[in-house]
Structures are given as structure tokens and as C-alpha cells.
Amino acid sequence: MPPLRSRMAARDLGEPHRVSSPLELLFDLTFVAAVSQVAGRLAHATEEAHLGDSVAPFFMVFFAIWWAWMNFTWFASAYDTDDVLYRVMTFVQMAGVLVLAAGVPDAFDGDFTTVTIGYLVMRVGLVSLWVRAAIAHPAGRATALRYAAGLSIVQVFWVSRLALPDGGPMWLFFVCAALDLSVPLIAERPGMTTWHPHHIAERYGLFTIILLGESVLAATNAVQDSVEHGVSGKLITIALAGLAILFALWWVYFSEPAGEGLEARRDRSFIWGYGHYFIFAALAAIGAGLETAVASAGEHIEASTRTVVAAVAVPVAVVLVLLWALHAQMRRTNVRPALIFAAAALVLLTILAAPGIGVAASLIAIAVLLALLIATTLTPPLTARPSSENAAERPR
């Protein structure tokens, strides 16, 4: 049994074999509902040819999801005590995520009240943890207090938006988001928290898997609905091509040693962490795009063939380019930029070809391009098997 309360000291940044805790894994699962809601609403908007009206709400709601997850993840990497009090404050944040997820449909209709309330609940739990860290860890007190104060002040602005007609103008959201993003930059000035590079890399990888899993779920639900209209070769082709695209993106993401890069270039952690917003958002959008593609095979939808393919091709290209850029700025990638940009450009060209070749062929083309990219740039060279004499010395 965990202790009721233990001293919240900073974790050792060189701690060996640091992995995600069962509580962190449970915390991640609460975001499944929120991501599912966001991807589903974007997919429905795309099918009804209202994609333009849903892009802004998608990015706005996803910002709340990503930023709340990211803040807790980096805090836990530095101060996870796993005692009863810590678990209770984590539970509070999990409850806030579920409230936020419940408000996603209203947010896409322009009402961010429920989403803001869920975000507030999550902030209460996180600020409480930062205050506790400030009390228990004198060496990091200045940083912890800056976090607690900054998050609280920005949250006042978020809640104040609800008093304005229709939540105020759109630009006010971006002002609040910019203030939220500035909190870590200001708070870490007295000294950076002792986040663990390999733990952070694993946490981001797990969230990537959640987003890819949501894409599988969205496509599965669409297939289930489409089967009611009869199974066709087109439907099977789109489903398999979509699965191949997701598998290839998983392969691409985990082909780079993110943990080693973060360990060597801790000064680039903000760029790496913040840049993942666009990667994560793109992965969620791919799920919505694949759901739309499957729906186009089983029933009539309002979206054109070009729009359906663009809903998959554009976020795939974004993921490719940004993954290369994030690893390149840490000097931890062996992938030639010319190949990445060529692959992204060819993926985007499927949008132009879509009206002539159809959705199924376009997705096959995207999957083949990703497979070629993996085969030519990301497959590690074969190495000789270690001799039996050296094999005994290998770490286990």
C-alpha cells in the first residue's frame, strides 16, 4: 500500500530504468474519451462538407487536451511520489478530463463552458501539486511557486471568458493560450525541474500510441456502420490501406531515439515538447480522416473525394515534416531532409489525383509512399550477431 503522504522531493534525473507508472497509464486512458470526441466531431464535419467550420474548434479543444496532459506529464517526471495524496490530486485531474470530454460537442457548436469547467478542475489538481512541491522541496521552491501562481492567474483569464458574449472574440482564446504556454518558460528561469529524458520520451510515445489507437477505433466504428450497407472491395481496401498508414506512422515515430536526444540536448526540451502539439493534433486528425474515408465507401457523404483524401494526406505530411524537424534540432536524426520533404510532397499530390483515382487508390498510394520512406531511410542496417563470448556481457 502506498503511504498516506511522503516528502515530495525531486526525482533523480539520472534514475535508471525510469518508466511510466500504472497511475500515469490510467491517467492517459481518461484522455481516450476526449480524443475520441474531438476526432469524431471533426469526422462528422468533414463528411457533411463543413470542415472549414470545424478546424478552429478542433485545434482549440485539442489545445486544452494536449496542454493539460503535457503539464501533468512533465510535473510527474520531476515529482512523482505516488503516495495517497498524490493519487487523489491526480484523480481530480482525471475527473476534469472527463468533464472536458463531455463538453466537446458543445465546443464545436461554439459553447466552451463545459470544456472550460473541465479545464479548471484539472488546473485545481495540478496547482495543488505544485504548491505541495514548493512546500516540500526548498531547492525547487521558486520554480514551483512560479508554476502555481502562473497557472492560477491564467486560469482566471480562461474562466473570465465565459462572462463575455459567446466567449468573447476568437483572438482572446489565442491570447489566453499564449499566456498558458508562457508559464513554463517563465517558471523554469530560476532552475529547470529534474524531468527524466527517457521517461518523457516514453510518455510522449505512449500518448502517440493512444492517438493511433483512436484512429483504429474511429475507422472500426466507421466500418461497422458501413457494413450495414454491404461489404465491398472498396471498403476492405480503404480499411486495410488506413491500417497500413497507421502502422507506417507508428514505425516512423519510434524509429528515432527520442530519449537519447533529450538527454543530450536538454536545452531543446521546450521546442521538442511544444512542437508535439502539432504532431499530436495531426495524428488525431488522421483518425478523423480515415473515419471519413471509410464512410465514403459505405454511404453517400457530402464531402468531395478530394476533401476526403486531403483529410488524411495533409496531417500525414505534417507528421512527417515535424517529426524530422524536432529530431533534427536535437541533431539526433539520420534521415535526409530531401527524402522527408519529397515524401510529404508526394503524399500531398494524392489530393490532386484523388478525383481521378478515387479514395481507395489514394490511400494505397499514401501507404506505399510511407513504406518506401521507411525502407529507404529509417530501416537500421543489419549488424553481425554477437559472438557467444560477448553475448554473456550484454545488458539484460
Side-chain angles (χ1 to χ4, degrees), residues 31 33-35 37-39 41 54-68 97 99-112 114-116 119 122 158 173 277 281:
F31 284 85
V35 173
Q37 287 286 333
V38 171
R41 296 292 295 187
S54 297
V55 170
F58 169 79
F59 281 109
M60 292 164 72
V61 175
F62 195 84
F63 172 83
I65 296 171
W66 162 77
W67 190 237
V97 176
V99 174
L100 185 150
V104 169
D106 289 339
F108 271 76
D109 294 331
D111 183 3
F112 283 81
T114 305
V115 168
T116 303
Y119 195 62
M122 287 187 283
W158 283 118
F173 173 90
Y277 165 73

Side-chain angles (χ1 to χ4, degrees), residues 216-230:
V216 174
L217 177 61
T220 301
N221 291 336
V223 169
Q224 185 177 18
D225 293 339
S226 300
V227 165
E228 297 178 359
H229 302 276

Side-chain angles (χ1 to χ4, degrees), residues 46 51 282 285-286 288-290 292-293 303-318 347-355 358-359 362-363 366:
T46 305
L51 180 60
I286 290 172
L290 291 178
T292 303
S304 65
T305 301
R306 181 169 292 172
T307 299
V308 173
V309 174
V312 177
V314 171
V316 166
V318 169
V347 167
L348 293 176
L349 284 177
T350 60
I351 301 173
L352 300 178
V359 173
S362 298
L363 294 189
I366 294 173

Side-chain angles (χ1 to χ4, degrees), residues 20 24-36 39 62 65 69 73 202-218 246 250 253-254 280 283-284 287:
S20 299
E24 288 176 307
L25 300 178
L26 181 62
F27 178 80
D28 287 353
L29 286 180
T30 60
F31 284 85
V32 171
V35 173
S36 178
F62 195 84
I65 296 171
W69 176 87
T73 293
E202 183 194 33
R203 298 290 294 121
Y204 273 67
L206 290 172
F207 199 69
T208 297
I209 291 175
I210 285 177
L211 293 170
L212 292 173
E214 280 300 314
S215 297
V216 174
L217 177 61
L246 295 177
W250 167 84
Y253 185 91
F254 289 99
F280 286 162
L283 289 174

Side-chain angles (χ1 to χ4, degrees), residues 108-241:
F108 271 76
D109 294 331
D111 183 3
F112 283 81
T113 302
T114 305
V115 168
T116 303
I117 293 173
Y119 195 62
L120 172 62
V121 173
M122 287 187 283
R123 281 318 197 217
V124 168
L126 183 61
V127 169
S128 299
L129 289 174
W130 277 117
V131 171
R132 183 185 173 193
I135 295 173
H137 185 224
R141 182 166 297 159
T143 299
L145 288 177
R146 287 187 184 218
Y147 266 112
L151 294 173
S152 300
I153 292 171
V154 175
Q155 193 58 46
V156 171
F157 288 105
W158 283 118
V159 175
S160 298
R161 289 181 66 242
L162 300 180
L164 300 175
D166 298 323
M170 176 97 44
W171 59 264
L172 189 57
F173 173 90
F174 295 101
V175 170
C176 292
L179 291 174
D180 235 340
L181 291 171
S182 68
V183 171
L185 296 172
I186 297 172
E188 300 274 351
R189 285 182 179 178
M192 294 192 69
T193 52
T194 56
W195 51 271
H196 194 288
H198 293 277
H199 175 250
I200 287 294
E202 183 194 33
R203 298 290 294 121
Y204 273 67
L206 290 172
F207 199 69
T208 297
I209 291 175
I210 285 177
L211 293 170
L212 292 173
E214 280 300 314
S215 297
V216 174
L217 177 61
T220 301
N221 291 336
V223 169
Q224 185 177 18
D225 293 339
S226 300
V227 165
E228 297 178 359
H229 302 276
V231 179
S232 64
K234 181 180 178 182
L235 176 62
I236 295 174
T237 302
I238 290 176
L240 291 177

Side-chain angles (χ1 to χ4, degrees), residues 321-337:
V321 173
L322 287 185
L323 274 178
W324 169 83
L326 290 183
H327 286 284
Q329 57 94 24
M330 294 191 298
R331 301 175 184 175
R332 298 293 300 185
T333 179
N334 296 319
V335 182
R336 287 179 289 174

